Amino acid sequence: MDVVTWAVSLWPHVVAILTVLVSVLATAHAVLHKRDVRATVGWVGVVWLVPVLGAVLYLLLGINRIRRRARSLTLRQEHGRYPSAPAAPPLTAEHVGLQQPAAAHLAPLVRLGDAVMHRPLLPGNQLTVLDSRTDAYPAMLEAIAQARHTLSLATYIFDNDPAGHLFVRALSAAVGRGVQVRVLVDAVGSRYTWPPIMGRLRRAKVPAARFLPSWAPYRLPFMNLRNHRKVMVVDGRVGFTGGMNIRKDFLPGEHAARDLHFRLEGPVVGQLQEIFAEDWAFTTHEHLQGEAWFPVLEPRGSVLARGIPDGPDEDFETLRMVLLGALATAQKSVRILTPYFLPDAALITALNVATLRGVQVDVLLPERGNLPVVQWASTAQLWEVLRPGCRVFLTAPPFDHAKLMVVDGVWSLVGSANWDPRSLRLNFEFDVECYDPVLAAALGALIDARQRNARQLTLEEVDRRALPVRLRDGLARLLSPYL
């Protein structure tokens, strides 16, 4: 038998062996790494029922590259390198009830935060609520004007428009006074307007950098691992965070888009600076250290607060764990205000369990969203929370971008994250948890005002949607892990 004949007779056996080997490897990976048993069974079935192609599909779609890529970015090298310097000692779960008696039953939530965030709960903070239509931008610009030593600013969107120009002028003036200014803009968020704001910042001699830049424009609308955080710290002592980007839609006035931001003073500001320093060091390899960036922070108020960084790196699913903990420890009420509502199965179950325990759960969503596909997907799963008794309210236009959560009138959550997979799994976010009944009452009043101008959505209304609409919404829901 010559070599050609031998090879022809042998190749089907080689292909069969390789096919089995590839299927075994794909199966082993799915069994070892997939969390959801149903997903594991489904992928194993595809791998074996569709030889070779099934393994290719699993390679392309079944492996969580988001977290793997984030971990490969070596962000962990910066974790813990920028400890803040609070003057007051951190609080333990056992001492929370002594500082805030109304929060005594939330001690398990404090303990959960200690375990998953590795950042202390700090006493002595003050939070001031800022509204996009009145005082948010003015307060931020005034703080920039008062900066004397350092100023750090991180934002997702920084548009090259009248609002962006106001901030560039203020930042440039700070640089002219000798302030050390650092500006970090997400690479995707910086390109919502053209030309991007980065050129104007450079011409104004403002040190600025883009987070995870990409030269592939066709990918920009769909890229993950985005820095969705909104953080500003002035002289290491005054911080700002919340949901507001920098764009003309939020310029003060009755026609401004609706959103909330927060001015912070006290020891927790050091945690805002810490997360900025980590992101800045990763992006530029410059390390911000010393008293100018991290001064000793004295108590300023009565709020117990802790920063919650979240992202597909060392902080993977920290916020999701906190949300589950808050729902599990709630005794009376849970109030959620969010522009995007696509909770996963575990969060839906937690919302329903809280309702069935007798907790009043209210969710406020915009009646008219700014992203139709996201709103369709959200509508497709609202029946899952309505049926057990959660109440859903649709707020009247204009679109409300604010994000709040208040539990039992004492615990509050503010920041950049939405209730969707992109915020809870795919992007880098920053929120602040707060224990204080006075602050919770103020935030509750904001929710009350929105609820008075909203209409309650019923299960019957959701069930009455026409068949084509339900099919559209259901198909959109299939994309929810990536929206």
Side-chain angles (χ1 to χ4, degrees), residues 198-220:
M198 303 305 290
R200 185 178 288 267
L201 286 167
R202 283 192 294 270
R203 290 191 295 274
K205 299 182 180 180
V206 177
R210 294 188 303 154
F211 185 88
L212 284 184
S214 169
W215 299 106
Y218 68 91
R219 293 176 57 199
L220 291 181

Side-chain angles (χ1 to χ4, degrees), residues 17-39:
I17 292 172
L18 291 175
T19 299
V20 172
L21 179 61
V22 167
S23 299
V24 167
L25 291 174
T27 298
H29 190 281
V31 169
L32 292 174
H33 296 284
K34 301 301 289 185
R35 294 186 180 187
D36 191 326
V37 173
R38 292 169 296 182

Side-chain angles (χ1 to χ4, degrees), residues 131-134 248-258 397-399:
D131 190 282
S132 61
R133 294 186 161 191
T134 55
K248 64 181 180 181
D249 296 345
F250 297 109
L251 287 171
E254 63 175 298
H255 299 296
R258 302 181 71 185
F399 176 69

Side-chain angles (χ1 to χ4, degrees), residues 20-295:
V20 172
L21 179 61
V22 167
S23 299
V24 167
L25 291 174
T27 298
H29 190 281
V31 169
L32 292 174
H33 296 284
K34 301 301 289 185
R35 294 186 180 187
D36 191 326
V37 173
R38 292 169 296 182
T40 304
V41 171
W43 278 116
V44 170
V46 170
V47 165
W48 287 99
L49 292 175
V50 190
V52 180
L53 179 59
V56 171
L57 290 173
Y58 176 72
L59 179 66
L60 295 175
L61 304 175
I63 298 176
N64 185 359
R65 285 182 178 76
I66 301 303
R67 189 181 183 193
R68 187 175 71 180
R69 184 185 170 204
R71 292 173 70 91
S72 73
L73 295 175
T74 66
L75 284 173
R76 66 170 64 195
Q77 293 181 1
E78 308 304 332
H79 271 64
R81 292 188 59 170
Y82 307 94
S84 54
L91 288 176
T92 64
E94 290 70 27
H95 294 103
V96 167
L98 299 177
Q99 292 263 350
Q100 296 285 2
H105 68 288
L106 298 177
L109 181 57
V110 178
R111 202 170 291 116
L112 171 67
D114 292 340
V116 301
M117 284 178 281
H118 309 294
R119 282 176 172 82
L121 180 67
L122 298 172
N125 302 285
Q126 177 179 328
L127 274 77
T128 303
V129 183
L130 304 173
D131 190 282
S132 61
R133 294 186 161 191
T134 55
D135 54 0
Y137 280 174
M140 296 173 71
L141 292 168
E142 180 183 1
I144 295 173
Q146 293 177 352
R148 293 297 175 262
H149 304 292
T150 60
L151 193 151
S152 52
L153 170 64
T155 184
Y156 173 60
I157 297 174
F158 196 146
D159 277 350
N160 190 2
D161 64 11
H165 300 168
L166 278 176
F167 276 85
V168 171
R169 287 195 292 271
L171 294 167
S172 179
V175 172
R177 297 193 305 272
V179 178
Q180 298 182 67
V181 176
R182 302 292 185 272
V183 176
L184 183 63
V185 186
D186 184 78
V188 172
S190 69
R191 302 183 71 169
Y192 274 55
T193 52
W194 191 264
I197 196 69
M198 303 305 290
R200 185 178 288 267
L201 286 167
R202 283 192 294 270
R203 290 191 295 274
K205 299 182 180 180
V206 177
R210 294 188 303 154
F211 185 88
L212 284 184
S214 169
W215 299 106
Y218 68 91
R219 293 176 57 199
L220 291 181
F222 310 103
M223 287 184 66
N224 301 309
L225 303 177
R226 303 323 320 165
N227 193 331
H228 195 245
R229 295 164 176 162
K230 291 92 175 173
V231 172
M232 188 173 86
V233 180
V234 176
D235 291 333
R237 300 183 182 278
V238 178
F240 292 83
T241 193
M244 290 182 59
N245 294 293
I246 298 176
R247 57 192 333 186
K248 64 181 180 181
D249 296 345
F250 297 109
L251 287 171
E254 63 175 298
H255 299 296
R258 302 181 71 185
D259 207 339
L260 296 172
H261 223 57
F262 299 86
R263 186 181 190 272
L264 298 87
E265 292 183 88
V268 76
V269 174
Q271 296 182 353
L272 274 70
Q273 190 77 296
E274 177 185 357
I275 200 64
F276 177 87
E278 289 184 4
D279 289 345
W280 182 259
F282 162 69
T283 304
T284 68
H285 305 293
E286 180 189 10
H287 299 280
L288 307 179
Q289 296 175 327
E291 188 176 354
W293 295 99
F294 292 95

